[in-house]
């Protein structure tokens, strides 16, 4: 997490930075900031005094009141207590809960919540919906330019929240296909990878989830062009994307979706069956 400084003492940052292009998020933060300032002034406290009583610096309080930062839930709880707001400040956690996450991830999460069927082929990394929290954090730490501690926390938490779709009711159908290489790369070290394998085996037992492995020796399939993701919705519509085609952008027109569906079907047919894939993952677990 990023830090602030109060009288030479380093303390935890009270909030996350908002994405520059996130206009809806900025509007929410402006409202939250105004309410926070109104409560502070009604209590007769300066920004410095509120900062002192909540453990943060005056500059951070002013950033929150201007809507420049997304307040952390624990800060709103503490501010509610200090301001005697009887839950009205803490209640703003509901307003900020979603915009805590970067807008592209929020947009993706909305699509995932609507989907009734997921077709997901991953050729480089274990798919985010299948990752453990510690594996996600280890993977994000390999990206460059490197994330700051606060950015890492924000992206890791966002990825973790998306996984709730696996336990949604009614449950969507999930088809995951993982390239063998994505399972063999020791992200985070031996024990992190071992717990990741255990998690894959656990998720694979869910009746609405199929996990298949594409052996490296199986070279004759269209997944060599990159990952494929297809989300299908209850109204018959869908959205999909593939690395290296259509500019990597999401597509919704039927012609391009048919192409993605065709490619995914071929990949699925050439991968190991779910049962054989489970045995394969168990063997990898035994090797770690």
């Amino acid at each position: 997490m990023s830090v602030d400084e109060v009288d030479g003492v380093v303390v935890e940052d009270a909030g996350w930075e908002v994405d520059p292009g996130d206009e809806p998020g900025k509007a929410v933060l402006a409202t939250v900031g105004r309410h926070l300032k109104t409560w502070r002034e009604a209590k007769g406290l300066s920004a410095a005094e509120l900062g002192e009583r909540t453990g943060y610096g005056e500059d951070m309080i002013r950033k929150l009141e201007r809507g420049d930062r997304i307040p952390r839930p624990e800060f709103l709880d503490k501010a509610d207590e200090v301001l005697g707001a009887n839950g009205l400040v803490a209640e703003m956690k509901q307003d900020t809960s979603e915009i805590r996450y970067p807008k592209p991830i929020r947009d993706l999460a909305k699509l995932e919540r609507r989907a009734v069927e997921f077709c997901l082929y991953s050729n480089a990394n274990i798919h985010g919906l299948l990752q453990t929290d510690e594996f996600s954090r280890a993977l994000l730490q390999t990206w460059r330019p490197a994330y700051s501690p606060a950015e890492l926390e924000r992206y890791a938490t966002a990825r973790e929240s998306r996984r709730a779709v696996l336990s949604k009711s009614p449950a969507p159908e999930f088809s995951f296909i993982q390239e063998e290489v994505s399972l063999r790369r020791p992200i985070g070290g031996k024990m992190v990878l071992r717990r990741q394998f255990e998690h894959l085996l656990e998720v694979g037992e869910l009746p609405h989830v199929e996990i298949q492995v594409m052996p490296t020796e199986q070279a004759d399939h269209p997944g060599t062009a990159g990952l494929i993701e297809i989300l299908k919705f209850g109204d018959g519509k869908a959205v999909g994307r593939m690395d290296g085609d259509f500019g990597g952008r999401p597509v919704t027109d039927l012609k391009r979706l048919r192409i993605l569906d065709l490619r995914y079907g071929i990949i699925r047919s050439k991968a190991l069956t779910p049962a054989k894939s489970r045995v394969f993952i168990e063997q990898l677990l035994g090797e770690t």
Side-chain angles (χ1 to χ4, degrees), residues 202-214:
E202 180 181 342
V203 174
E205 291 182 347
L206 297 173
H208 58 286
V209 176
E210 286 190 348
I211 299 176
Q212 294 177 254
V213 175
M214 176 66 76

Side-chain angles (χ1 to χ4, degrees), residues 13-16 29-30 32-34 36-37 56-72 75-76:
D13 193 334
W16 297 273
L29 289 182
V32 169
R34 281 198 306 271
L36 183 61
K37 183 177 182 180
Y56 301 101
E58 176 183 358
D59 182 60
M60 181 57 61
I61 299 300
R62 295 199 181 281
K63 285 179 180 178
L64 292 170
E65 292 182 348
R66 290 196 304 266
D68 292 340
R69 288 293 183 101
I70 305 168
R72 296 181 182 274
F75 167 77
L76 291 174

Side-chain angles (χ1 to χ4, degrees), residues 119-125 127 177 179 222-230 240-245 248 260 263-264 267:
C119 298
L120 307 167
Y121 163 71
S122 301
N123 65 333
N125 298 308
H127 195 277
I177 304 173
E179 279 288 345
T224 53
L227 67 80
I228 297 177
E229 296 184 329
I230 306 171
R241 72 183 184 97
M242 180 177 186
D243 283 348
D245 213 343
L260 292 181
R263 291 172 180 171
Y264 190 83
I267 295 170

Side-chain angles (χ1 to χ4, degrees), residues 45-288:
L45 296 177
S46 67
E49 289 171 329
L50 177 59
E52 182 180 355
R53 297 190 188 187
T54 55
Y56 301 101
E58 176 183 358
D59 182 60
M60 181 57 61
I61 299 300
R62 295 199 181 281
K63 285 179 180 178
L64 292 170
E65 292 182 348
R66 290 196 304 266
D68 292 340
R69 288 293 183 101
I70 305 168
R72 296 181 182 274
E74 55 269 26
F75 167 77
L76 291 174
D77 285 334
K78 183 63 176 177
D80 188 276
E81 178 184 338
V82 170
L83 297 172
N86 297 317
L88 293 178
V89 169
E91 192 177 62
M92 292 192 291
K93 289 186 293 185
Q94 299 178 18
D95 301 301
T96 60
S97 62
E98 189 168 309
I99 60 170
R100 290 172 56 190
Y101 310 126
K103 189 174 184 301
I105 297 178
R106 299 204 311 266
D107 293 342
L108 175 59
K110 288 178 182 177
L111 290 174
E112 290 175 341
R113 287 195 293 268
R114 286 179 49 212
V116 297
E117 183 178 350
F118 291 68
C119 298
L120 307 167
Y121 163 71
S122 301
N123 65 333
N125 298 308
I126 295 173
H127 195 277
L129 294 179
L130 290 175
Q131 294 172 12
T132 64
D133 184 46
E134 62 179 350
F135 186 94
S136 287
R137 291 171 185 273
L139 180 62
L140 289 169
Q141 287 176 325
T142 69
W143 293 8
R144 294 296 182 272
Y147 289 131
S148 69
E151 289 172 328
L152 177 63
E153 176 72 15
R154 192 178 181 205
Y155 278 92
T157 303
R159 183 166 290 189
E160 182 180 6
S161 72
R162 284 177 50 213
R163 296 182 200 123
V165 74
L166 284 166
S167 55
K168 174 184 168 185
S169 182
E173 293 294 321
F174 290 88
S175 168
F176 293 96
I177 304 173
Q178 289 289 154
E179 279 288 345
E180 178 182 342
V181 66
S182 71
L183 302 175
R184 290 192 178 276
R185 185 170 292 115
I187 300 295
K190 182 176 179 179
M191 293 310 299
V192 170
L193 186 62
R194 182 177 181 83
R195 286 188 285 269
Q196 177 63 63
F197 289 150
E198 292 171 343
H199 181 67
L200 288 176
L201 293 171
E202 180 181 342
V203 174
E205 291 182 347
L206 297 173
H208 58 286
V209 176
E210 286 190 348
I211 299 176
Q212 294 177 254
V213 175
M214 176 66 76
T216 301
E217 64 184 20
Q218 178 60 272
D220 182 23
H221 69 84
T224 53
L227 67 80
I228 297 177
E229 296 184 329
I230 306 171
L231 305 183
K232 300 180 180 181
F233 308 114
D235 59 4
K237 296 179 181 179
V239 61
R241 72 183 184 97
M242 180 177 186
D243 283 348
D245 213 343
F246 317 130
R249 295 186 299 271
V251 297
T252 56
D253 63 281
L254 293 179
K255 181 178 179 180
R256 291 178 174 179
L257 285 171
R258 184 187 66 80
I259 293 172
L260 292 181
D261 213 35
L262 171 66
R263 291 172 180 171
Y264 190 83
I266 295 173
I267 295 170
R268 194 173 188 177
S269 69
K270 291 180 177 289
L272 298 178
T273 65
K276 290 183 178 180
S277 296
R278 182 176 184 84
V279 172
F280 187 91
I281 295 172
E282 288 174 340
Q283 290 174 343
L284 292 178
L285 176 60
E287 294 171 6
T288 57

